[in-house]
Amino acid sequence: MWARIFALVIKEFLAILRDKASRMVLIGPPVIQLMVFGYAASFDLEHIPYAVLDQDGGAAARELVARFAGSPNFTEVARLTHQGQIAPLIDNREVLLVLRLDANFSRDLLATHAGNGPARVQVLIDGRNSNTASLALNDVTSILMRFNRDWAARHGQRGPPAELVVHAWFNPNLQSRWFIVPGIVALLTLVVTLLVTGLSVAREREMGTFDQLLVTPLRPHEILIGKAVPGFVIGLLEAGFIVLMAVLWFQVPFVGSPLALLLGLSLFLLAAIGIGLMISSLAVTQQQGLLGVFLFLVPAIILSGFATPIANMPEAVQALTYLNPMRYVLIIVRGVFLEGSTIRMLIPQYWPLALMALFSMGAATWLFRHRMG
Amino acid sequence: MNRQRLRGLIRKEFLQVLRDPSAIAIAFVLPVILLLLFGYGVSLDAREVPIAVVIDSPTPQTASFVAGLDYSPYFAPRYVATAAAASEALMAGQVSGILWLRGDFDRLLLTGRTAPIGVWLNAVDANHATLLRGYLEGVWQDWMLIQAETAGLALAMPVVAEPRIWFNPAVRSRDFLVPGLIAVIMTLIGALLTALVIAREWERGTMEALMASPVTMGEILLGKLIPYFLLGMGGLLLSVAMAVWLFQVPLVGSFWLLVLCSALFLLVALGMGLLISTLAKNQFVAGQVAIIVTFLPAFILSGFIFDIRSMPEAVQIITHLVAARFYVAILQTLFLAGNVWPLILTNAAALLLMMLIFLGITRAKSRKRLD
C-alpha cells in the first residue's frame, strides 16, 4: 500500500512542478508578494501631507505651526493665504489636512491666563479614508498636547490636573507592521495551499484521468494522501521561509515557542488542504473549481481579523468566523510571534483546526467516489 | 470585422455560460454574497471595547473621570478590584486595555500637581491600540474641560483642536470600505469571468476548430469580451445598488460618471483575464495566475483598506500596476466627495491606458497559428 501511495505522491509532485509556468507560479509570487505586502500593509502614517492657513500671524501662532513643520510625521505641502484655497487641495488629495488658525488665535491664547479660552485650531481633514483621518487627528492632538504643556510651563500656568501615561504591551512602538507581517505568513500559506490543491481534482476530472485513477487499486483515502502530501510539503516549506523572512528581514520579534507555531501551521495546512481538495472534488470543471477557491479564499481572508478586527463585526458575522480556519491560525501566529504564547495556551485554537482538517478531508474522500461529472 | 460572425460567436458564448452556470453565479451571486458579508463584516470602528478599570480609592474626582468612560460609545468599562486581576484579564485577552487611577489621584489633583493615569493597551493590533489611545485622550480632554468649568480648576489646555472631518463627518469606516469592496469584488469578477475562457478553447481543441473557420482573431476576442462585459456590468450595478440602498453610503457624485468609470475598470479587469488566458493556454496555470494577481494585490495594494499614503515610496510606485488602485480612488471620491474632475480624469486616464495595454497585448499574442 505504501509503495502505491508513494508512487502517487511522486506523480502529484510531477503534475504540479512539471511545467515551468506552474513552478514559477508557486515560487516567485509568494516571495514577491511577501516583500511588497510586508511593506505595503501598514496603517502607520509616516508623512502626513498638510497645508497651513495662518490668519493670525502672531508669534504664538508661528510657534505652533513650527511644531508641525518640525515633526517627522508631518510634511508641509503649502502655505495658504485665503480660505478658497483649502477645498481644491483636499478634494484632489494633495493634502490630508489643513490647519487653520483664525485671526483671533493669539488673542484667545493669551486670554487663557485669565481663565478664558481655549484658543482653537481648526483641523480640516480629508475623511474619505476615515481610519487615516482618525490617525492623523491623533497625531495632531499629540502635538497640541506637547505645545500646551510647554506653554503652560513657560507662562506659569498649572499643568493639566491629570494626564494619561500610556504603555503599549507586546508592541511598544505601536508598529502595525508587527501585526500585519505575521498575518501574511498565514495569508500566503493559505493561497499557496489552495493553488496546489484547489484545481487538482477538477483538472483530472476534466481530462478524464481521474476516472482512470478510480479504477486502479488505489483506495479513495490513498488518493487523498497522494493529493495532500505535495500541498503539505510545499505549504510548510513556504511558510517556513516566510517566517524566517518575517524575523530576519522585517525584524518582527519572535518571542514564543517555534514548536507551538509548527503545530499550529501544520494543523492549519491540513485544514486548508482538506478544504482545497473538497472544493476541487466538488467542481466538475476547472472554472467551477476556480470559483470555489475564490468563494472560500476571499471571505476566509477578509473575515479573519487579518486587517480589520473580528470584534468590530456584528454578532452574526462574528459567529461565522468560527468556521474560518484563518481566524485560529492568525491568533496562533500572532500569539507566538508577539505574545510568547505556548502550546498549552493555544489549545483552544488547535482543536477547531484539527476538527476542520478531519471533516474536510473526510468529505473530500467521500466526494472522490460519489461525485462523478 | 463581420457583424454576423461576431453575433454568432457571442451567441455561442452565451450558450456556454448557460450550460455551465458558474459564470452567472460569478456575475450575480458572488457580488451579492461578498458585499453582504463584507459590508457588514469589515469595519475599523471600535465600539464598546472591553477595558478594565482599577480605582484604588473611589472619590468624587475618580467618579467624574470614569463617568466619561461610561458615557463613551467606544468603551465598555469593567471595574476590577486590583491591578493584578486587571493585568491577568489583559493577558487572557478578556479586555483590550487597563486604566488605573491610583490612590493618590485626588491628592495630586487638588494640590495643583499632575496626577498620572496609568493606561496599558494590548498593542498586538497596533492600529486598534492607536485608535483606542485616541478615544481615551478624547475622554480625558472632555473631562478636563468639564473640570475647568465646574471645579474652577484653571484650564490646562491653552489650545484645542477643532476637527472638521470632510466627506465623512460621522467617521464611519463603512462609508469608505464599501466603495473599496466594490473595486475588490469587480476585480475578482472580471478575472474569474475571462481567465479561463481562452485557455479552455485551447485545452479542448476547439480553438483549432475556430481557427479553421473564417472568423478573425479580433472577432474571437470581441466575442469573448462582449458577453462577459454585459454580465459584469449587471453585477456591478447590483453592487452599487446595494452600497447605496442597503449600506446607506451616500453617493455624492454623478451616477452616470460612476457607471462610465466602472465600465472602464471592468474592461481592464476582463482584459487582464483574457491576457492571462491567452498567455497560459492551460486552464490550470491560468487559474493559478488569476488567484495570485487579482485578489491579494487588489486587497492590499489598492488603497481599499491600507492607505497608499502610508506606504514607502517604492511600494507606492508598485501600486500603479494595480488597476484597482485607480478605481478605488475614483469610487471613494465619487461616493463621498463628489465629481472632483482633476482626480477622476487622471485616474480614468490611467485605467484607459491599462485597458489599451492589456487588450493590445492580448490581441498581439493571439495569432491564428498552432504551436
Side-chain angles (χ1 to χ4, degrees), chain A residues 180-324:
Chain A
I180 299 288
V181 170
I184 292 180
V185 175
L187 199 75
L188 291 181
T189 307
L190 179 66
V191 172
V192 167
T193 315
L194 289 177
L195 284 181
V196 175
T197 56
L199 300 180
S200 75
V201 181
R203 170 167 66 171
E204 295 217 35
R205 278 202 209 283
E206 213 166 342
M207 290 182 166
T209 51
F210 202 70
D211 294 339
Q212 293 173 11
L213 210 55
L214 287 177
V215 295
T216 60
L218 283 161
R219 313 270 306 276
H221 69 266
E222 295 171 7
I223 301 179
L224 176 91
I225 297 174
K227 295 249 171 223
V229 168
F232 189 79
V233 172
I234 295 175
L236 206 58
L237 282 178
E238 296 215 5
F241 173 76
I242 301 168
V243 169
L244 272 181
M245 288 296 282
V247 176
L248 298 178
W249 184 269
F250 288 103
Q251 308 267 319
V252 180
F254 188 103
V255 293
S257 121
L259 216 59
L261 184 63
L262 182 67
L263 179 60
L265 282 174
S266 304
L267 288 172
F268 171 67
L269 272 171
L270 291 176
I273 290 168
I275 293 169
L277 287 176
M278 203 166 86
I279 292 169
S280 181
S281 47
L282 259 173
V284 179
T285 60
Q286 293 182 66
Q287 171 88 37
Q288 291 177 3
L290 189 62
L291 172 63
V293 168
F294 271 109
L295 267 181
F296 167 70
L297 179 71
V298 177
I301 287 174
I302 293 193
L303 301 179
S304 63
F306 168 71
T308 61
I310 290 178
N312 292 359
M313 300 173 186
E315 294 286 330
V317 183
Q318 285 197 33
L320 266 181
T321 64
Y322 286 104
L323 295 173
N324 182 358

Side-chain angles (χ1 to χ4, degrees), chain A residues 66-122:
Chain A
R67 295 273 177 137
F68 284 89
S71 158
N73 287 351
F74 288 83
T75 310
E76 186 171 319
V77 173
R79 200 51 82 99
L80 309 182
T81 49
H82 56 89
Q83 204 163 350
Q85 295 168 306
I86 296 177
L89 275 182
I90 293 186
D91 284 350
N92 287 313
R93 291 197 155 168
E94 281 165 50
V95 298
L96 182 60
L97 59 91
V98 174
L99 298 170
R100 178 168 169 246
L101 287 74
D102 68 15
N104 299 328
F105 179 80
S106 291
R107 200 197 62 201
D108 289 346
L109 182 57
L110 292 168
T112 53
H113 290 290
N116 292 325
R120 290 174 191 278
V121 179
Q122 252 189 28

